[in-house]
Amino acid sequence: NAGVTQTPKFRILKIGQSMTLQCAQDMNHNYMYWYRQDPGMGLKLIYYSVGAGITDKGEVPNGYNVSRSTTEDFPLRLELAAPSQTSVYFCASSKTARNNQPQHFGDGTRLSIL
Amino acid sequence: GESVGLHLPTLSVQEGDNSIINCAYSNSASDYFIWYKQESGKGPQFIIDIRSNMDKRQGQRVTVLLNKTVKHLSLQIAATQPGDSAVYFCAENLKAAGNKLTFGGGTRVLVKP
């Protein structure tokens, strides 16, 4: 019962460094999403994907990139880390947009940019 | 833009009492609503959902009410337990926008023994 798995759980980066946040799901879900959650706030959508090879921007995509080469994996890339990207990042997946399926979330990656 | 919001940022409840968490939404075209529970250090956990063609839906100890006239959503938790202490988010979904969720800011529920 793995569901949505995110790695790493914690990371500290220096300004200007790059890293990839990993997300994998084993539920054969077509839709995958990346959100960020700032302290005391709700979640904001960064990027999403409706299937392998297809990605699209969400509400706050600047400074991030994604790829979706397989159904299972949806990595999020930070190319030039900035302090404003300090946040908790959540990956989610859902089976389909039809019939309103709920999104299932991982436990997050806590990222600090210093 | 359209948004989902919550009336109360913190709700203190006596153990055993019922809890009511409220949420206002502004997009009348939203067709699906979800309540999530988020415990400290964890990701949001699905609690219950409701489609726009329904007024009420019940789960185990939880009930969601939808009032489309005033664009209001509520989550009722019966016999609140210490394990219910968490932050609760409502989210609205517009299927026509690709199943993307818009989250409110969250309400923290504190259960007092």
Side-chain angles (χ1 to χ4, degrees), chain A residues 37 90 99-100 103 106 110, chain B residues 32 36 38 41 43 51 89 99:
Chain A
Q37 184 179 34
F90 289 100
N99 299 321
N100 296 322
Q103 295 180 17
R110 285 144 187 84
Chain B
Y32 179 54
Y36 285 94
Q38 187 176 25
R51 298 178 187 177
F89 293 95
N99 203 29

Side-chain angles (χ1 to χ4, degrees), chain B residues 5-8 11 13 17-24 33-38 45-50 55-67 72-80 84 86-91 106-109:
Chain B
L6 295 174
H7 296 303
L8 300 173
L11 178 67
V13 182
D17 287 351
N18 297 334
S19 303
I20 299 176
I21 306 167
N22 296 302
C23 175
F33 304 88
I34 309 173
W35 281 101
Y36 285 94
K37 172 186 180 183
Q38 187 176 25
Q45 177 186 1
F46 171 82
I47 301 174
I48 192 168
D49 57 3
I50 188 168
D55 297 324
K56 178 180 179 179
R57 191 169 189 210
Q58 288 184 292
Q60 186 176 10
R61 282 201 308 119
V62 294
T63 300
V64 55
L65 300 177
L66 176 62
N67 185 331
H72 183 267
L73 192 70
S74 68
L75 177 70
Q76 300 177 4
I77 305 174
T80 310
D84 295 326
V87 177
Y88 291 80
F89 293 95
C90 66
T107 293
R108 182 173 300 279
V109 172

